[in-house]
Amino acid sequence: MEKNYDQFKGQSRLPKFAVPKRYDLKLKPDLVTCKFAGTVDISLDVVSPTKFIVLNAAELSVDPKTVHFKSSNKVFEALEVGLIEEDEILVVEFGESLPVGLGVFSVAFEGTLNDRMKGFYRSTYKHNGEKRNMAVTQFEPADARRCFPCWDEPACKATFKITLEVPSELVALSNMPVEEEKVTGNLKTVHYQESPIMSTYLVAIVVGLFDYVEDHTSDGIPVRVYCQVGKANQGNFALHVAVKTLPLFKEYFAAPYSLPKLDMIAIPDFAAGAMENYGLVTYRETALLYDDKHSAAANKQRVATVVAHELAHQWFGNLVTMEWWTHLWLNEGFATWVSYLATDSLFPGWKIWTQFLEEATEGLRLDGLAESHPIEVDINHAGEIDEIFDAISYRKGASVIRMLQSYLGPESFQRALASYIKRYACSNAKTEDLWSVLEEESGEPVNKLMNSWTKQQGYPVVSVKINDQKLECEQTQFLLSGSHGDGQWIVPLTLCCGSYEARKSFLMQEKSEALDVKDLLGSSSSKGNPWIKVNVEQTGFYRVKYDDELSARLRYAIESKVLSTNDKYGILDDSYALSMACHQSLSSFLALMASFREELDYTVLSNLISISYKVSRIVAEAVPDLQNHIKLFFINLFQFSAERLGWDPKEGESHLDAMLRGELLNAMAAFGHDETINEAIRRFHIFLDDRNTAVLPPDLRKAVYVGVMQRVNKSDRSGFEALLRIYRETDLSQEKTRILGALASCRDPEIILEVLNFLLCSEVRSQDCVFGLAVSFEGRETAWKWLKEKWDHIHKTFGSGFLLTRFISATVSPFSSYEKAKEVEEFFASRTKPYIARTLKQSIERVHINANWVQSIQKEKNLSEAVTELAYRKY
């Protein structure tokens, strides 16, 4: 028999001789023994004569006696039934060929409710003080096969008729509304309406004890937010966002929401941020629940953007689905982009499109690696899919969509999207299908333009200088390692000269081009030497390098406050990347940073703060004598803004100021500003005596906790112990993750080791470990030693999946020596697995980039004078 199986092994896709049309699925989960049993009857269309049925199944036991195929009154019994675990397939052989046409394939199976947050799994919660299990599904990308045998590929769409048998006191939810419910004794059988045609990865089931809040959209669709008993009021904000967002998308996509109801539910153990299951969206608690008293402004914004992202998927992903995982970015990049569109419409004061630049930056940072990957990736094995749920698919994906929308114009773009949704509804599409609809609608060469951005990895840096009233532009592939790649792009260039009235745009198709800008130079209000800004408002996914003359003019324009927020952000971020790639000196970059001292905007300052953390670490590594000077420079740089905002929230201040205050104070504390740390400790002590005090609102907590940890060491542990007490007493997930992040900022390596061990104990949910991995500069070596010692345990606990990859990237990436890179390679040489390979290579490449940067900084002649001057400059 084995020999017949060989033809099905090692294939990336299932054979096409039978196509599923409808699943009749019955499941009976046991929440005490954590086992489940089920049966599935799958209506198939046999399209070519075959003796075999091959479908996906993993970690299930199948009873061969129950496997048969029924076609027009004839029953075919299975001759052989084999599970091939490494390929996650079930191969069923029949004694004779199955007739072409419709039939029903049946199978009974059993499985375990696992604790790995994928497939059909268990999550724990406390009810009246006792620990209980709930049963939850998480099927994307390829784990429906862990719950029931199925054609587990996005293109194999079918309808689902689901029935559950569960304890009668529990809430049991699925994609569709309940059709009927029968109670017998302490069990109930719940029958759900049949779903529209959909992919297996979107099927969902949740069984447990929940409260909910409910509302209706303007066209009558019932929306509910379910959460743990007693937390229902924390669902109101997400409910408000959902009820407003559904009608907005209905109008934008010119298509109604396609199901009779929408449920959103908070799950205590959840690997991702959220999952867009059709009609039953699952979330981490931090991404759905908002508590007026204990949630920070940043939490509120996270809930709004995540809810908008998941609801966008109900159209883009669920109604129209990618044909294969190669096109995952269509789902994720698109949902990310459109979630900003919705959030901006609901909360205009958040300036969310400026904050979108943070998404673009994350995409640019990952895509500056030689070990990045194109937006469209060939996927040959289910194990490779997890690693592409990354900043390329989501953030570069969203950024190139924004670039295209800005090039085509919003009206034409929206019309094309509506036709695309209409054309591919209830079906599957590839990247090129979207391009051809956009091309028809706009008349622009979208396919040709976009292929250069999705089919090759990386992006260009466009170098510009003025020569004889011409702007000379040259593009090369930007790599953070400082070397030049050989990619070439079609770049939608935009530029402004001296004012936002004088602007031009064109497509750059060659390696280098000279543009006539004499009309711009002539018309510009500031005759003489006007500033020139390329990539206006940062809508393009590329970096710009100015010659010294143009750089100086831009620095002057920043100080004179004539540039838009987005443009200031872009100049800062590009300059930082060029410095890291050793294309410009650190001293010139520090001089640019200094010109942002009076900046008011949240997004610009937030990026300035993240950059300052990285720069202070790299300087500490390269020139240890300068580390106190550089910290002093950053304290002086942020002091103006920190004093402007003060410690206490002001009546009626903006959401952005509320977020900024916490980030600024966090930075002041992390750079060792004594006054800030003393005030943090003072407020912390008041908070310890009175949890409801007004002196420590949620927006300040992270900063205060970080301040407290700056003074903790092995001889004075009181702050550490106090934070652990707060961790243990709170049941708010947002508060727990704030504390974990703060604990890691301690400067004493012995305490860091305790923190890391704490992450692996039963008090910390597996999903939350990653928040405590970003340890202080002083704790890096300790964290790496710990990772090596605990690797087998961590690997066993997390299995494959993206949480595991975070351990590697968080621990390895901060290093900056070639020796360390070698040590990491040697350690993982015998421990590599396909699902960590990409992350490992990227992390080691980051170490090399840091090491190059350190060497380049050590060679800078006037660095110490420049840093000292900046540190002691009087304002």
Side-chain angles (χ1 to χ4, degrees):
M1 168 61 202
E2 273 301 303
K3 63 184 186 306
N4 294 340
Y5 280 15
D6 284 350
Q7 56 180 317
F8 305 123
K9 286 184 176 172
Q11 305 297 315
S12 61
R13 310 274 287 254
L14 293 168
K16 303 260 192 289
F17 28 66
V19 182
K21 292 294 176 199
R22 176 184 191 266
Y23 291 80
D24 191 337
L25 172 64
K26 298 185 175 62
L27 287 168
K28 181 179 178 178
D30 183 327
L31 298 180
V32 180
T33 62
C34 293
K35 297 259 183 277
F36 64 90
T39 59
V40 66
D41 299 318
I42 311 174
S43 310
L44 295 181
D45 189 0
V46 178
V47 289
S48 51
T50 173
K51 284 187 173 181
F52 291 100
I53 284 182
V54 182
L55 67 166
N56 294 112
E59 296 171 26
L60 295 173
S61 58
V62 168
D63 178 358
K65 294 192 291 299
T66 65
V67 181
H68 55 79
F69 181 79
K70 223 187 213 144
S71 170
S72 53
N73 308 333
K74 182 172 179 189
V75 176
F76 298 78
E77 297 298 339
L79 187 64
E80 285 274 358
V81 176
L83 268 166
I84 303 178
E85 271 302 339
E86 63 271 28
D87 289 303
E88 303 187 338
I89 56 175
L90 177 66
V91 179
V92 180
E93 187 180 8
F94 295 91
E96 54 185 305
S97 260
L98 305 178
V100 169
L102 295 174
V104 176
F105 171 74
S106 303
V107 52
F109 53 90
E110 290 180 336
T112 303
L113 292 171
N114 70 70
D115 59 358
R116 300 202 315 282
M117 296 183 278
K118 57 189 205 176
F120 201 9
Y121 73 92
R122 63 181 188 265
S123 172
T124 57
Y125 61 104
K126 282 210 172 87
H127 185 249
N128 296 336
E130 73 171 305
K131 205 168 165 185
R132 313 261 308 240
N133 290 320
M134 64 174 77
V136 189
T137 56
Q138 166 60 40
F139 290 165
E140 189 181 25
D143 295 314
R145 61 192 69 178
R146 288 170 214 288
C147 178
F148 60 100
C150 57
W151 273 257
D152 200 8
E153 296 182 359
C156 298
K157 285 188 161 185
T159 62
F160 290 82
K161 180 84 183 81
I162 293 175
T163 306
L164 298 178
E165 193 178 311
V166 298
S168 48
E169 80 278 5
L170 298 182
V171 174
L173 302 172
S174 183
N175 305 82
M176 298 297 288
V178 175
E179 192 170 71
E180 68 166 326
E181 198 170 286
K182 293 192 188 105
V183 178
T184 30
N186 52 8
L187 281 181
K188 62 179 173 183
T189 306
V190 187
H191 300 266
Y192 299 90
Q193 294 175 20
E194 186 164 336
S195 77
I197 173 170
M198 59 189 268
S199 304
T200 49
Y201 78 87
L202 294 166
V203 171
I205 291 157
V206 181
V207 181
L209 273 179
F210 300 98
D211 280 345
Y212 66 86
V213 285
E214 181 177 34
D215 197 359
H216 291 78
T217 62
S218 49
D219 41 10
I221 290 165
V223 179
R224 289 181 175 181
V225 175
Y226 284 86
C227 26
Q228 285 187 48
V229 174
K231 289 189 178 182
N233 62 336
Q234 296 178 23
N236 284 322
F237 177 65
L239 182 63
H240 163 77
V241 172
V243 164
K244 292 276 182 277
T245 302
L246 283 179
L248 199 125
F249 285 152
K250 172 186 174 178
E251 186 187 353
Y252 191 79
F253 295 124
Y257 171 65
S258 45
L259 298 190
K261 59 94 177 170
L262 169 69
D263 292 330
M264 308 200 294
I265 184 162
I267 306 295
D269 301 278
F270 197 80
M275 175 62 212
E276 68 268 20
N277 314 303
Y278 223 165
L280 174 56
V281 184
T282 47
Y283 294 81
R284 245 182 208 240
E285 293 196 332
T286 48
L288 188 69
L289 304 184
Y290 176 77
D291 176 328
D292 286 334
K293 282 197 195 52
H294 300 289
S295 298
N299 300 128
K300 186 175 201 173
Q301 186 175 305
R302 166 111 179 115
V303 170
T305 51
V306 176
V307 168
H309 177 106
E310 302 311 324
L311 299 196
H313 276 310
Q314 306 302 308
W315 284 262
F316 228 92
N318 302 9
L319 184 60
V320 178
T321 311
M322 67 226 151
E323 194 276 330
W324 180 242
W325 300 105
T326 299
H327 307 281
L328 170 74
W329 84 276
L330 262 185
N331 260 12
E332 298 305 349
F334 202 88
T336 301
W337 175 80
V338 88
S339 71
Y340 279 76
L341 197 83
T343 308
D344 186 49
S345 163
L346 296 184
F347 304 102
W350 293 4
K351 299 191 185 155
I352 204 85
W353 280 115
T354 298
Q355 295 191 59
F356 180 83
L357 298 174
E358 294 172 0
E359 303 272 357
T361 291
E362 287 294 310
L364 291 162
R365 275 199 58 212
L366 179 50
D367 213 22
L369 300 182
E371 291 293 348
S372 176
H373 61 84
I375 281 181
E376 294 183 60
V377 197
D378 286 330
I379 295 290
N380 301 310
H381 187 277
E384 299 170 0
I385 307 169
D386 265 330
E387 277 201 303
I388 59 164
F389 280 81
D390 63 6
I392 300 297
S393 300
Y394 285 71
R395 293 170 164 151
K396 180 181 184 179
S399 303
V400 299
I401 285 165
R402 178 166 176 260
M403 173 165 76
L404 182 61
Q405 187 228 23
S406 127
Y407 177 69
L408 299 176
E411 292 79 12
S412 150
F413 192 73
Q414 181 179 355
R415 279 196 305 274
L417 286 179
S419 339
Y420 168 81
I421 296 275
K422 193 169 164 185
R423 184 175 308 177
Y424 294 100
C426 300
S427 170
N428 297 79
K430 299 180 170 173
T431 302
E432 44 272 27
D433 297 326
L434 177 59
W435 298 159
S436 54
V437 176
L438 279 157
E439 196 155 310
E440 281 164 37
E441 183 62 54
S442 66
E444 293 282 346
V446 176
N447 215 358
K448 183 179 168 203
L449 166 68
M450 293 313 283
N451 280 347
S452 77
W453 296 95
T454 66
K455 291 196 186 303
Q456 64 178 342
Q457 75 181 55
Y459 56 86
V461 53
V462 177
S463 304
V464 295
K465 57 176 194 280
I466 289 275
N467 190 1
D468 186 28
Q469 301 200 314
K470 284 195 174 55
L471 187 68
E472 294 184 355
C473 307
E474 186 183 356
Q475 60 159 305
T476 48
Q477 181 175 350
F478 179 77
L479 288 168
L480 285 163
S481 62
S483 46
H484 286 294
D486 43 14
Q488 188 173 331
W489 286 263
I490 298 178
V491 189
L493 278 188
T494 49
L495 64 114
C496 276
C497 180
S499 90
Y500 285 98
E501 270 65 73
R503 63 164 73 199
K504 251 195 151 124
S505 50
F506 52 92
L507 277 185
M508 174 173 182
Q509 309 209 29
E510 305 303 321
K511 269 286 204 211
S512 55
E513 296 186 16
L515 311 168
D516 189 347
V517 287
K518 94 166 149 279
D519 52 334
L520 284 188
L521 293 169
S523 73
S524 115
S525 49
S526 48
K527 294 270 191 296
N529 299 325
W531 52 268
I532 289 179
K533 169 69 176 63
V534 180
N535 192 10
V536 181
E537 298 297 343
Q538 293 307 109
T539 53
F541 193 77
Y542 55 91
R543 297 204 181 276
V544 182
K545 181 179 187 218
Y546 300 91
D547 69 356
D548 293 343
E549 166 63 20
L550 290 175
S551 293
R553 292 185 204 173
L554 280 172
R555 205 155 57 223
Y556 178 70
I558 291 171
E559 286 166 359
S560 330
K561 304 191 169 51
V562 294
L563 293 180
S564 74
T565 306
N566 289 25
D567 284 329
K568 285 185 289 190
Y569 181 101
I571 293 163
L572 173 68
D573 204 61
D574 286 353
S575 181
Y576 169 54
L578 289 162
S579 179
M580 189 188 295
C582 312
H583 290 317
Q584 74 171 54
S585 70
L586 181 65
S587 7
S588 70
F589 177 58
L590 293 173
L592 174 69
M593 288 180 85
S595 65
F596 283 91
R597 186 170 170 275
E598 294 183 5
E599 181 54 52
L600 303 173
D601 180 79
Y602 166 75
T603 309
V604 175
L605 278 167
S606 180
N607 195 29
L608 196 67
I609 289 168
S610 326
I611 289 171
S612 66
Y613 291 143
K614 181 77 203 249
V615 169
S616 82
R617 284 182 160 217
I618 217 83
V619 169
E621 189 79 36
V623 197
D625 295 351
L626 286 179
Q627 66 179 333
N628 290 337
H629 287 340
I630 198 92
K631 284 179 181 172
L632 187 58
F633 164 53
F634 290 138
I635 287 169
N636 289 338
L637 181 59
F638 298 126
Q639 195 131 15
F640 173 84
S641 306
E643 285 171 4
R644 175 180 78 87
L645 289 175
W647 276 83
D648 295 300
K650 300 186 180 46
E651 191 61 43
E653 71 181 358
S654 72
H655 163 81
L656 294 169
D657 276 349
M659 291 206 301
L660 180 57
R661 177 180 294 108
E663 288 192 31
L664 280 166
L665 292 170
N666 194 334
M668 298 292 275
F671 288 127
H673 184 239
D674 282 325
E675 284 164 57
T676 304
I677 294 174
N678 293 340
E679 178 63 8
I681 292 171
R682 184 185 79 80
R683 288 176 182 245
F684 185 64
H685 284 301
I686 298 173
F687 176 67
L688 286 181
D689 294 333
D690 169 17
R691 292 291 193 273
N692 297 315
T693 171
V695 304
L696 199 49
D699 292 313
L700 290 185
R701 283 187 202 164
K702 176 79 193 293
V704 163
Y705 299 165
V706 165
V708 167
M709 288 306 291
Q710 298 313 293
R711 297 265 170 90
V712 166
N713 54 47
K714 59 179 184 296
S715 50
D716 178 5
R717 310 166 46 89
S718 59
F720 177 38
E721 306 288 356
L723 280 168
L724 286 177
R725 274 204 307 283
I726 299 171
Y727 181 89
R728 291 177 173 128
E729 73 183 36
T730 180
D731 68 340
L732 193 72
S733 197
Q734 292 162 350
E735 181 74 348
K736 284 190 188 296
T737 55
R738 269 199 284 267
I739 292 170
L740 293 175
L743 294 179
S745 72
C746 183
R747 303 199 171 280
D748 185 332
E750 289 187 38
I751 301 282
I752 287 294
L753 184 58
E754 284 186 53
V755 171
L756 293 168
N757 286 330
F758 177 67
L759 296 178
L760 296 181
C761 80
S762 60
E763 291 185 67
V764 179
R765 293 186 189 267
S766 302
Q767 62 175 30
D768 292 337
C769 291
V770 293
F771 292 100
L773 294 173
V775 300
S776 62
F777 182 73
E778 294 79 358
R780 293 180 307 170
E781 196 53 58
T782 306
W784 166 237
K785 272 210 201 68
W786 169 83
L787 184 72
K788 288 189 290 189
E789 274 166 33
K790 301 281 192 225
W791 179 252
D792 293 341
H793 168 73
I794 291 168
H795 186 214
K796 202 165 91 220
T797 309
F798 289 86
S800 63
F802 74 97
L803 287 171
L804 182 70
T805 64
R806 298 284 172 85
F807 280 87
I808 296 173
S809 55
T811 312
V812 173
S813 307
F815 284 109
S816 45
S817 72
Y818 302 110
E819 299 75 50
K820 188 56 75 184
K822 210 169 179 47
E823 193 186 316
V824 173
E825 274 178 89
E826 283 163 7
F827 175 76
F828 281 107
S830 58
R831 295 171 176 85
T832 181
K833 290 273 184 289
Y835 44 83
I836 61 170
R838 185 176 303 241
T839 304
L840 188 59
K841 286 181 176 152
Q842 289 171 348
S843 301
I844 289 169
E845 184 182 354
R846 289 202 192 279
V847 179
H848 283 151
I849 289 163
N850 291 340
N852 293 345
W853 197 11
V854 162
Q855 285 192 341
S856 145
I857 290 170
Q858 288 168 338
K859 293 187 189 118
E860 271 189 49
K861 298 254 186 332
N862 312 330
L863 183 66
S864 86
E865 291 82 85
V867 172
T868 313
E869 192 275 315
L870 287 166
Y872 294 98
R873 184 182 283 182
K874 288 286 170 274
Y875 286 102

